[in-house]
Amino acid sequence: MTYPKQSAILGIGRIVERPVLENGNIRSAQFMTLSLTVDHQVINGAPAARFLNRLAELLSQPEVLLEL
């Protein structure tokens, strides 16, 4: 069996709860690690970074998806 070439691989880590400082107060927030590996012969790093940033925005504010 042959597999198609991969131009990008998106890694998604588990969600963890961590303390954050907001307006002088400590509160709990959830964080998730995203990692993107790209083949720079196929994809330039700048569009890949924009994709990863947009994905992080959409995941942190899922209600925005309803507006799309």
Side-chain angles (χ1 to χ4, degrees), residues 8-66:
I9 299 171
L10 177 64
I12 301 174
R14 64 187 175 107
I15 297 172
V16 294
E17 204 161 322
R18 294 189 180 145
V20 285
L21 183 63
E22 185 177 274
N23 299 325
N25 298 316
I26 297 175
R27 69 173 185 86
S28 178
Q30 294 181 336
F31 288 86
M32 179 175 64
T33 303
L34 297 173
S35 301
L36 184 65
T37 302
V38 297
D39 180 348
H40 288 275
Q41 294 176 344
V42 179
I43 300 172
N44 190 321
R50 285 193 299 271
F51 165 78
L52 194 57
N53 285 332
R54 181 65 176 146
L55 179 60
E57 287 174 8
L58 291 172
L59 289 172
S60 66
Q61 299 175 355
E63 63 275 4
V64 174
L65 291 170
L66 298 174

